[in-house]
Amino acid sequence: MNGNRILFDEHGRLRSGLRFAFFALTFFFALALSGSLAWLAAFLLAGRSAEATNHLLAGPVGLIVQSVIMLTSATLLGWFCGRIFENLPFRALGWDLRPGWWRDLLRGSALGAASLFLAVIIAWLAGSVRFAANHSSSSANVLRTLLLTLVTFILAAAAEEATFRGYPLQTLLRSLPVWIAIVPSSLAFALVHLANPHAAPGFTLINTFLAGVWLSVAYLRARNLWFPLGAHWAWNWTQGAVLGLPVSGITRLTESSLLRTQEVGPDWLTGGAYGIEGGFACTLALIASTIVLARPSRLTRSQGEISAR
């Protein structure tokens, strides 16, 4: 009896922490399996050359493939967990095309771009960044970069939103106070980014965790994934394709950006080779943007949500 109370709540549902753990473990297994199959397929297409395969997967095509795999795995597994553990329909994940979904996407996009610009402006006011036109790339290459990264960053952001603000966050929100429920997925979001190139000690973990909190609050404002998706992709696209800054340490996708932003200040402020996300200017911008979003009346559980502990 006591064992059952530890595993299940008074409604007979598996407790939220165990639901979270089940999703995480199953997701990583599915991702590893799908990723291995994708690498094998790319290996065969690349003429059975491991070097050519790795080169292919390191570019935009590889990121798109990885994002599609991640998005599909997180969405299907999130639907499956919601169905078997909490008897929830697919629309509970937040991807349904309910009235106004596109307005949430546009508003989120405006928020993401504005928040990124705020971080850069803070660094600029401190005399730590300079802007210049990109004269080293042709107009055709700049346009191609803007359009290709538009697709790439939307898919990558959708994959991460489904993974971190999808079922794992939502199932904890149905049983825990908001500011406790958002910690596990935000911390996981931060830890994953530590593997990125030029990760800045301290600030990478802190700022990516704050970004996870910011995007979680964005989800809570709209109760769908379209709003945080907009904020996420627009932040990355503005940062990389428009301003020419590294996106979490990655530069290979935006070599022909619209502008060239040169960092001339201390790394602790600008983020250095990791990009603005690795500096204190980003910390201030994320805190400010989260405060604007975090209206207490909008962050309480809606009456229609189930109570599943």
Side-chain angles (χ1 to χ4, degrees):
M1 184 69 177
N2 290 335
N4 286 339
R5 293 294 294 171
I6 292 174
L7 297 177
F8 300 95
D9 64 9
E10 62 273 18
H11 303 291
R13 300 189 184 97
L14 192 68
R15 293 192 177 275
S16 59
L18 295 175
R19 300 195 300 265
F20 180 97
F22 179 88
F23 175 91
L25 292 174
T26 309
F27 172 74
F28 284 119
F29 174 78
L31 204 61
L33 178 60
S34 300
S36 298
L37 293 175
W39 191 94
L40 179 59
F43 178 74
L44 296 175
L45 291 173
R48 300 176 184 271
S49 168
E51 183 178 354
T53 299
N54 293 332
H55 179 74
L56 175 65
L57 294 178
V61 173
L63 182 56
I64 289 174
V65 170
Q66 293 170 38
S67 298
V68 170
I69 290 173
M70 188 175 176
L71 174 60
T72 303
S73 299
T75 300
L76 291 179
L77 183 58
W79 164 76
F80 176 76
C81 289
R83 186 67 178 175
I84 64 169
F85 293 138
E86 302 171 83
N87 196 30
L88 295 173
F90 177 81
R91 65 177 182 273
L93 280 177
W95 283 133
D96 63 309
L97 301 180
R98 67 185 68 180
W101 69 269
W102 60 271
R103 285 191 292 270
D104 286 329
L105 179 62
L106 291 178
R107 283 195 288 259
S109 300
L111 171 72
S115 300
L116 186 279
F117 275 124
L118 176 60
V120 175
I121 288 171
I122 290 172
W124 175 75
L125 290 174
S128 295
V129 295
R130 297 172 183 167
F131 306 99
N134 183 4
H135 297 297
S136 62
S137 298
S138 66
S139 299
N141 285 338
V142 170
L143 180 59
R144 182 171 58 188
T145 294
L146 291 171
L147 294 177
L148 179 60
T149 55
L150 180 70
V151 175
T152 304
F153 284 134
I154 287 177
L155 282 174
E160 292 191 344
E161 291 312 303
T163 300
F164 297 102
R165 262 68 62 183
Y167 184 78
L169 170 65
Q170 294 166 23
T171 195
L172 293 180
L173 285 170
R174 285 188 278 271
S175 62
L176 298 174
V178 166
W179 296 109
I180 295 177
I182 63 179
V183 169
S185 60
S186 298
L187 183 58
F189 184 62
L191 292 173
V192 166
H193 284 77
L194 289 178
N196 282 30
H198 310 294
F203 274 116
T204 295
L205 183 65
I206 293 170
N207 286 347
T208 315
F209 175 79
L210 289 175
V213 173
W214 173 60
L215 292 166
S216 297
V217 173
Y219 165 78
L220 288 162
R221 283 296 305 273
R223 295 290 173 172
N224 64 51
L225 291 173
W226 299 110
F227 190 66
L229 168 61
H232 195 157
W233 85 263
W235 171 287
N236 288 342
W237 186 76
T238 304
Q239 181 178 204
V242 176
L243 296 179
L245 289 166
V247 180
S248 301
I250 299 172
T251 59
R252 65 180 182 270
L253 301 177
T254 55
E255 294 176 353
S256 297
S257 56
L258 181 63
L259 299 176
R260 292 293 191 193
T261 303
Q262 183 182 7
E263 298 164 343
V264 295
D267 288 354
W268 66 265
L269 181 64
T270 66
Y274 189 76
I276 199 72
E277 295 168 332
F280 188 58
C282 179
T283 308
L284 295 176
L286 286 172
I287 290 174
S289 187
T290 303
I291 290 173
V292 170
L293 280 175
R295 299 175 186 176
S297 62
R298 300 299 299 274
L299 302 186
T300 56
R301 286 186 231 166
S302 64
Q303 294 181 352
E305 289 186 289
I306 66 171
S307 174
R309 295 181 186 276

